[in-house]
């Protein structure tokens, strides 16, 4: 596996030379592409050089240990360090998800449980918004269908990174594990007897597609306009500003009514549609590459309950990776990193096992 790094060293050096040429920055798209690849390769090259240096240090220590036994302890310490570097390098060389640095469109939908489910959907939305705020991302609500008690029947939010993205720290790289059915156990606000109820909400996360990535033909869409409405069906607009777009080849339907302008709602709906079409194409490719698909945590069937939020015990459990913690209040306030990291680590372990 490590022999391939020698080729990457050459590619890295070539990228460095090209990026130093001012002419390359005249094409911003190409410059971004080269910068992205350079950022991907840099930690690999650094880890490989550290791994090679560790090997040389071990050889030197072994030679010294032949004359001075005190160096034997240093040899053992250096060998352990090199094992850690070997594991890190192996992980860095595992093929990455090509969408990891993409922004996402995240959707939360109330499920079984009626009004309580809608309130829980609102809690999940707040959790993701607070998490985005903590890590420095920008969140923009594209469309929302509120419930009577202030929850959400469904809501779509675009989450974008700011500035330079470190490898593995993109929005999709972190939030792709959130897709699935989230279950809540608590006493609902509507419960007068104090009994604990179980309800659920669904989360769908898709990488946001650029226009050039998804081709939509002019005859592929049916666009309907209607009057937007608020909680309980009350009208909030006197014009037909809400937009419903149906993608005829796939049957995917997207509605948007959050903006006052019909044009704005159409643009938001198209953003959501493009992300869903890109996700559908990627899922089809994953089905064809079944071995790779099985090695990824995110391919767990979306109908499976991925996480439980137990309010009486202040407990959060991720059923896919066996994660459990008793700080649910903090997680709902945006302290989501440990939960996500457990999924990232499990995914990495599965990929390493698949790579042999």
């Amino acid at each position: 596996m490590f022999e391939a790094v020698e080729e990457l060293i050459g590619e890295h050096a070539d990228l460095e030379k090209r990026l130093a040429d001012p002419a390359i920055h005249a094409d911003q798209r190409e410059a971004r592409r080269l910068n992205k690849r350079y950022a991907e390769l840099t930690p690999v090259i650094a880890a490989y050089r550290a791994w090679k240096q560790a090997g040389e240090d071990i050889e030197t220590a072994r030679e010294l240990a032949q004359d001075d036994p005190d160096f034997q302890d240093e040899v053992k310490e250096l060998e352990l360090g090199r094992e850690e570097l070997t594991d890190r390098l192996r992980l860095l060389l595992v093929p990455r998800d090509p969408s990891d640095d993409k922004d996402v469109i995240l959707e939360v939908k109330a499920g079984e449980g009626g009004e309580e489910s809608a309130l829980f959907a609102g809690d999940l939305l707040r959790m993701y918004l607070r998490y985005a705020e903590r890590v420095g991302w920008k969140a923009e609500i594209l469309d929302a269908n509120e419930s009577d008690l202030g929850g959400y029947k469904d809501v779509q939010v675009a989450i974008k990174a700011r500035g330079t993205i470190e490898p593995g720290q993109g929005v999709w790289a972190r939030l792709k594990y959130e897709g699935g059915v989230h279950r809540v156990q608590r006493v609902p606000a509507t419960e007068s007897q104090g009994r604990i109820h179980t309800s659920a909400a669904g989360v769908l996360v898709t990488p946001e597609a650029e226009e050039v990535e998804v081709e939509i033909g002019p005859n592929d869409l049916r666009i309907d306009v209607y009057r937007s409405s608020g909680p309980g069906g009350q009208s909030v607009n006197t014009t037909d500003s809400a937009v419903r777009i149906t993608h005829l080849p796939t049957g995917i339907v997207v509605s948007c009514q959050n903006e006052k302008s019909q044009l704005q709602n159409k643009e938001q709906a198209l953003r959501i549609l493009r992300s869903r079409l890109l996700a559908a194409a990627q899922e089809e490719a994953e089905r064809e590459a079944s071995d790779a698909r099985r090695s990824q945590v995110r391919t767990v069937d979306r109908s499976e309950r991925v996480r439980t939020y137990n309010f009486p015990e202040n407990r959060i459990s991720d059923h896919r990776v066996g994660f459990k913690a008793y700080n649910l209040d903090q997680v709902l306030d945006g302290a989501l990193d440990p939960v996500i990291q457990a999924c990232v680590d499990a995914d990495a372990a599965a990929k390493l096992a698949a790579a042999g």
Side-chain angles (χ1 to χ4, degrees):
M1 181 184 291
F2 297 162
E3 292 176 2
V5 183
E6 296 294 345
E7 294 181 16
L8 298 181
I9 290 174
E11 182 185 354
H12 187 261
D14 181 61
L15 286 168
E16 195 166 42
K17 180 192 264 185
R18 294 179 67 186
L19 287 168
D21 182 358
I24 202 71
H25 297 278
D27 184 344
Q28 287 298 309
R29 184 183 294 275
E30 177 66 4
R32 281 196 301 270
R33 187 186 71 80
L34 296 179
N35 265 309
K36 174 189 168 186
R37 181 59 176 162
Y38 184 80
E40 288 174 357
L41 292 180
T42 297
V44 178
I45 305 306
Y48 179 66
R49 286 172 176 160
W51 177 80
K52 285 194 72 175
Q53 183 62 52
E56 294 172 6
D57 291 344
I58 289 171
E59 290 303 314
T60 301
R62 283 174 178 165
E63 291 175 8
L64 293 170
Q66 291 177 358
D67 298 324
D68 186 349
D70 289 343
F71 278 97
Q72 285 293 347
D73 290 338
E74 184 175 346
V75 171
K76 292 177 182 178
E77 188 176 327
L78 288 169
E79 287 175 341
L80 287 173
R82 198 177 196 228
E83 286 179 15
E84 293 178 2
L85 286 169
T86 300
D87 290 341
R88 171 168 168 72
L89 188 52
R90 277 168 51 86
L91 183 57
L92 286 170
L93 289 171
V94 170
R96 294 175 61 246
D97 182 336
S99 296
D100 270 356
D101 63 338
K102 286 186 178 293
D103 299 321
V104 309
I105 290 179
L106 183 145
E107 304 179 51
V108 185
K109 292 181 178 290
E112 56 188 68
E115 195 65 50
E116 162 63 7
S117 176
L119 290 171
F120 178 51
D123 292 336
L124 290 177
L125 173 65
R126 178 179 179 274
M127 176 181 74
Y128 293 126
L129 294 179
R130 293 300 299 272
Y131 177 66
E133 183 182 340
R134 281 174 180 245
V135 298
W137 296 337
K138 177 185 177 183
E140 171 194 6
I141 293 179
L142 300 179
D143 195 45
N145 185 6
E146 295 184 35
S147 68
D148 292 333
L149 295 184
Y152 289 93
K153 296 176 183 177
D154 58 81
V155 57
Q156 293 88 32
V157 56
I159 303 179
K160 295 178 171 292
R162 300 178 191 265
T164 304
I165 305 168
E166 294 295 323
Q169 297 301 311
V171 185
W172 172 253
R174 304 297 289 176
L175 291 184
K176 62 185 174 183
Y177 305 101
E178 294 304 300
V181 177
H182 295 237
R183 181 175 62 177
V184 62
Q185 296 171 326
R186 66 181 175 188
V187 178
T190 54
E191 169 59 55
S192 59
Q193 303 294 322
R195 293 173 297 188
I196 296 174
H197 287 225
T198 298
S199 60
V203 176
L204 174 66
V205 189
T206 51
E208 182 159 11
E210 297 181 22
E211 290 187 41
V212 294
E213 293 179 285
V214 177
E215 184 177 341
I216 300 176
N219 298 321
D220 290 345
L221 302 179
R222 185 178 73 237
I223 301 177
D224 302 304
V225 296
Y226 58 98
R227 190 162 297 179
S228 59
S229 60
Q234 67 200 55
S235 176
V236 296
N237 202 324
T238 57
T239 61
D240 291 337
S241 62
V243 174
R244 180 186 301 109
I245 298 179
T246 303
H247 185 250
L248 299 174
T250 62
I252 294 175
V253 180
V254 177
S255 301
C256 201
Q257 63 173 14
N258 212 46
E259 305 293 340
K260 294 180 180 180
S261 157
Q262 185 183 116
L263 181 61
Q264 289 175 311
N265 281 325
K266 180 182 175 183
E267 288 302 314
Q268 303 289 45
L270 283 172
R271 286 177 67 183
I272 298 170
L273 176 62
R274 279 194 293 267
S275 72
R276 289 190 184 176
L277 289 173
L278 178 62
Q282 290 174 336
E283 286 175 2
E284 178 61 30
E286 286 169 6
R287 276 193 292 272
E288 293 174 4
S290 58
D291 289 341
R293 186 174 188 272
R294 279 194 295 270
S295 73
Q296 296 181 19
V297 173
R298 75 182 182 90
T299 58
V300 173
D301 190 332
R302 285 197 174 99
S303 65
E304 182 179 335
R305 289 175 179 173
V306 297
R307 199 173 290 158
T308 295
Y309 303 70
N310 185 298
F311 276 69
E313 298 179 13
N314 198 35
R315 169 171 51 84
I316 183 164
S317 307
D318 193 295
H319 308 299
R320 297 163 296 181
V321 297
F323 176 90
K324 187 180 294 184
Y326 292 86
N327 64 336
L328 176 58
D329 54 336
Q330 296 174 34
V331 172
L332 288 173
D333 196 40
L336 194 54
D337 253 335
V339 192
I340 291 174
Q341 192 59 47
C343 294
V344 171
D345 292 343
D347 198 2
K351 288 176 178 176
L352 276 175

